Amino acid sequence: MLKIAIMGAMPEEIAPILEKFRPYKTTKYADNEYYEATYNGVEIVVAYSKIGKVFSTLTATTMIQHFGCDKLLFSGVAGGINPNLKIGDLIVATKLSQHDLDITAFGHPMGFVPGGSIFVEANKELIEISKEVAKELGKTVQEGIIATGDQFVHDEKVKDNIVKYFNADALEMEGASVAVVCNALNVPFFILRAISDTADTDASFSFDKFMESSAIISAEFIMKMVQHIVDTK
Ligand code: ADE
């Protein structure tokens, strides 16, 4: 049976998804909780990883290696850096990069380490499904580059550097690490984010105000994608 992982970083990012899968089974593994359910002939594993690249790496790896998931969908919020992205707008990652991975001291480009690549591309079929779902809903969903790092960005200069090096449209703290895991383990993945702030000096206030509503916007879209995958399997 097809087994889909649905991941967020924070409880608020998965709560609107989890409630759709009641009753679910809760399993504790590697100091985190995983919620398992069956939905119209598809197995689902939901979890929030906790914030950052390390926790999200652990959760994505666990969902694939321990729970046996064969697709991974990530839902959550992001800071917008492309001025076209407003609070509540959705962005689908076409490719992702770690903006804080820096061995430029040795002549390498930002985001690159030997054996890796600056960008990891998301699965094209899942992006295609997101376009179909957006069309069905009459919703605009932008595609773009997401930059990931272990910092909440709230500074124009940091933002400008991320644009300079990665031409990123949005930034967050888990997408690229999940992408690296899925890419290494050959699992198709999809990263969706709704904008909660614009990573400027007001970012923490904006995040506190809009995180929950934007998390719901992203979660609802992910649920429509799950429905589409179930209907067309
Ligand atoms: N997630 C949402 N907003 C963010 C920001 N400004 N920096 C990092 N991650 C975020």
Side-chain angles (χ1 to χ4, degrees), residues 66-163:
H66 182 75
F67 288 94
C69 294
D70 33 36
K71 279 187 204 302
L72 187 149
L73 309 177
F74 191 107
S75 181
V77 300
I81 39 183
N82 181 329
N84 290 332
L85 286 167
K86 310 285 182 226
I87 305 290
D89 284 357
L90 286 168
I91 173 160
V92 166
T94 50
K95 55 182 186 173
L96 303 99
S97 191
Q98 298 180 63
H99 69 71
D100 57 354
L101 188 57
D102 180 356
I103 55 164
T104 54
F106 300 92
H108 292 293
M110 275 299 284
F112 179 84
V113 290
S117 58
I118 300 176
F119 292 103
V120 178
E121 283 184 19
N123 180 258
K124 293 204 169 52
E125 283 168 32
L126 290 170
I127 294 176
E128 207 46 52
I129 291 174
S130 77
K131 284 188 192 164
E132 286 170 31
V133 167
K135 211 166 148 191
E136 280 164 25
L137 298 174
K139 242 180 128 79
T140 317
V141 178
Q142 302 183 53
E143 287 176 26
I145 297 172
I146 290 187
T148 301
D150 281 326
Q151 61 189 119
F152 183 85
V153 177
H154 58 122
D155 186 293
E156 294 288 351
K157 277 199 218 106
V158 178
K159 238 169 91 163
D160 290 348
N161 266 327
I162 293 172
V163 172

Side-chain angles (χ1 to χ4, degrees), residues 3-227:
K3 204 173 209 183
I4 305 175
I6 307 176
M7 223 188 122
M10 296 179 297
E12 294 87 345
E13 290 174 325
I14 63 152
I17 293 167
L18 202 49
E19 72 183 29
K20 302 283 191 303
F21 294 123
R22 277 181 214 282
Y24 49 80
K25 177 181 155 203
T26 306
T27 307
K28 208 153 185 209
Y29 185 87
D31 202 26
N32 205 14
E33 284 186 352
Y34 292 84
Y35 311 100
E36 293 171 88
T38 308
Y39 180 70
N40 295 347
V42 170
E43 288 181 89
I44 308 280
V45 185
V46 182
Y48 75 90
S49 57
K50 301 185 279 267
I51 294 166
K53 294 196 294 177
V54 174
F55 284 130
S56 57
T57 298
L58 176 60
T59 297
T61 306
T62 298
M63 286 176 123
I64 296 165
Q65 297 289 70
H66 182 75
F67 288 94
C69 294
D70 33 36
K71 279 187 204 302
L72 187 149
L73 309 177
F74 191 107
S75 181
V77 300
I81 39 183
N82 181 329
N84 290 332
L85 286 167
K86 310 285 182 226
I87 305 290
D89 284 357
L90 286 168
I91 173 160
V92 166
T94 50
K95 55 182 186 173
L96 303 99
S97 191
Q98 298 180 63
H99 69 71
D100 57 354
L101 188 57
D102 180 356
I103 55 164
T104 54
F106 300 92
H108 292 293
M110 275 299 284
F112 179 84
V113 290
S117 58
I118 300 176
F119 292 103
V120 178
E121 283 184 19
N123 180 258
K124 293 204 169 52
E125 283 168 32
L126 290 170
I127 294 176
E128 207 46 52
I129 291 174
S130 77
K131 284 188 192 164
E132 286 170 31
V133 167
K135 211 166 148 191
E136 280 164 25
L137 298 174
K139 242 180 128 79
T140 317
V141 178
Q142 302 183 53
E143 287 176 26
I145 297 172
I146 290 187
T148 301
D150 281 326
Q151 61 189 119
F152 183 85
V153 177
H154 58 122
D155 186 293
E156 294 288 351
K157 277 199 218 106
V158 178
K159 238 169 91 163
D160 290 348
N161 266 327
I162 293 172
V163 172
K164 179 171 134 199
Y165 290 118
F166 302 99
N167 197 22
D169 298 289
L171 49 86
E172 34 83 312
M173 302 178 70
E174 299 83 16
S177 39
V178 170
V180 168
V181 168
C182 293
N183 187 55
L185 296 173
N186 282 317
V187 167
F189 71 93
F190 177 81
I191 312 278
L192 180 71
R193 297 281 185 169
I195 301 303
S196 57
D197 58 86
T198 48
D200 51 18
T201 46
D202 296 328
S204 60
F205 301 100
S206 178
F207 181 90
D208 282 344
K209 191 163 171 202
F210 297 110
M211 183 270 284
E212 206 166 340
S213 54
S214 291
I216 292 170
I217 292 170
S218 176
E220 285 179 346
F221 193 90
I222 286 286
M223 279 307 301
K224 297 277 185 210
M225 283 185 66
V226 171
Q227 191 61 53

